[in-house]
Amino acid sequence: MRSKLFVPGGRPELFVKALASAADAVSFDLEDAVPPEAKRSARDAVAAFVGSAAMRDAAKLCIVRINAPDSPYFEDDLSAVVQPGLSLLNIPKLESADAVRAVVAALERVEASQRMAQPVGLLVNVETPRALTQAAAMACAHPRVAGLQLGLADLFEPYHVDRTDGAAVHAAMFAVKMAAASADVFAVDAAFAAVDDADGYRAEAIMARRLGFTGKTCIHPRQVALANAVFAPSAEELAVARRVVAAAADAARDGRGAFLLDGRMIDLPFVKRAQALLASHE
C-alpha cells in the first residue's frame, strides 16, 4: 500500500473520484472529518459505497476509519461499515493491547451477526504519547492487527512539538516502525497537511521509505503520484505479487476464496492489489 487516499465520509461526491485515482487504497473517514451533526448521514453514505459494485470491482484496498471505541458513534459505525468489501477497519485513539482486543471482540460480534465468511483486519492508529509507548503491545495484541498508522498531527500538536522538526518526525517514525516490525505487520506513514509543498511531502515520504514504511497517507489527490513514486515496488515485492496471483489461481480451482501464503491470510482485496501491482509495473 504505497498510497492511501483520505476521503472525508461526509463528502460522497468525492467517493467515485477517489476510486478513480491512482491510489492503492481509499480510506473513508467517519471520525475527525465529520462533525457530530453529520455523523449519521456520512456513516450511511460510506456504508453504501463500501458495499457498492464500484468498490467491489476496484483493484484497491477499502479502508474505513470509524470513531473511537469510547465515542457514542462506535457501535453504529461498526455495524454499518463491517461488510463484504471492507479490507481494513482503521481504529483511532487506542492506547493498549486490551483496547485492541476489545475492538476485536466487538468486530467479531458484528461479523457473526452478518454471517461474514472473511474476517476484517485492523489498522491501528498511533497518535498519542501513550499509544506510542504501547505501539508494540497493540501490534502484537491480536492477529487481526494488519498494520500501524502514524498520526503526527495528533501526536505532536497538543504537546507543542514542531511538526516540521525532522528529528522529531524521524524519532516517531522509527518507534512506530519498530513496533510494527515486532509483530511483523506493516506501517503506514502520517498525513502531510501542506498540500502545496510537494518537496516537503516527498522528503518525508523518502524518510518513511528508508525506515521501512510501506506507504504514506495522502490528503489530496495530487499527493498520490508522489507517494507512488517514492514507494514504487522492489523486485522482491513484485515477486511476492506474482506468487499471490499464482496461489490465488490455485485456490480458485479448489473453490477457496481465501488462503494462507507464507503464514498470512490472503483474500480477494489483496489478490486484486497484487494483480493491479503487476499490471502497472510489468
Side-chain angles (χ1 to χ4, degrees), residues 215-241:
K216 187 166 178 62
T217 301
C218 308
I219 61 170
H220 192 280
R222 75 180 67 163
Q223 294 178 333
V224 170
L226 297 172
N228 286 349
V230 171
F231 293 95
S234 65
E236 180 182 355
E237 291 166 334
L238 290 171
V240 170

Side-chain angles (χ1 to χ4, degrees), residues 139-165:
C140 296
H142 196 276
R144 290 285 190 119
V145 178
L148 300 179
Q149 176 175 290
L150 181 58
L152 287 175
D154 285 330
L155 179 62
F156 285 176
E157 183 61 30
Y159 308 100
H160 312 292
V161 178
D162 187 347
R163 172 65 178 81
T164 66
D165 185 273

Side-chain angles (χ1 to χ4, degrees), residues 30 43 72-81:
L30 295 176
R43 178 191 304 128
Y73 314 107
F74 174 76
E75 293 289 348
D76 288 339
D77 286 353
L78 201 63
S79 297
V81 306

Side-chain angles (χ1 to χ4, degrees), residues 101-120:
R101 288 188 283 267
V103 169
V104 171
L107 175 57
E108 289 174 341
R109 289 193 294 271
V110 173
E111 290 174 338
S113 69
Q114 298 191 6
R115 300 174 187 254
M116 287 181 59
Q118 304 302 331
V120 174

Side-chain angles (χ1 to χ4, degrees), residues 36-235:
E37 63 273 15
K39 293 289 188 186
R40 181 173 181 176
S41 60
R43 178 191 304 128
D44 291 345
V46 169
F49 197 76
V50 169
S52 69
M55 189 74 250
R56 184 175 61 250
D57 295 339
K60 295 187 188 298
L61 295 178
C62 176
I63 303 170
V64 178
R65 180 169 75 172
I66 63 175
N67 288 277
D70 62 353
S71 77
Y73 314 107
F74 174 76
E75 293 289 348
D76 288 339
D77 286 353
L78 201 63
S79 297
V81 306
V82 174
Q83 56 179 297
L86 179 65
S87 305
L88 294 170
L89 194 64
N90 183 205
I91 308 292
K93 308 301 186 289
L94 299 185
E95 294 186 318
S96 71
D98 285 344
V100 171
R101 288 188 283 267
V103 169
V104 171
L107 175 57
E108 289 174 341
R109 289 193 294 271
V110 173
E111 290 174 338
S113 69
Q114 298 191 6
R115 300 174 187 254
M116 287 181 59
Q118 304 302 331
V120 174
L122 296 183
L123 177 59
V124 176
N125 284 8
V126 178
E127 52 190 348
T128 69
R130 179 169 173 77
L132 192 61
T133 64
Q134 297 297 311
M138 292 194 295
C140 296
H142 196 276
R144 290 285 190 119
V145 178
L148 300 179
Q149 176 175 290
L150 181 58
L152 287 175
D154 285 330
L155 179 62
F156 285 176
E157 183 61 30
Y159 308 100
H160 312 292
V161 178
D162 187 347
R163 172 65 178 81
T164 66
D165 185 273
V169 172
H170 186 282
M173 281 187 186
F174 183 75
V176 169
K177 173 57 187 179
M178 290 299 99
S182 72
D184 193 26
V185 301
F186 65 81
V188 177
D189 193 23
F192 189 85
V195 172
D196 293 330
D197 185 5
D199 289 340
Y201 183 95
R202 185 182 296 106
E204 200 165 274
I206 289 171
M207 184 190 300
R209 170 80 182 196
R210 288 174 175 167
L211 289 172
F213 282 68
T214 62
K216 187 166 178 62
T217 301
C218 308
I219 61 170
H220 192 280
R222 75 180 67 163
Q223 294 178 333
V224 170
L226 297 172
N228 286 349
V230 171
F231 293 95
S234 65

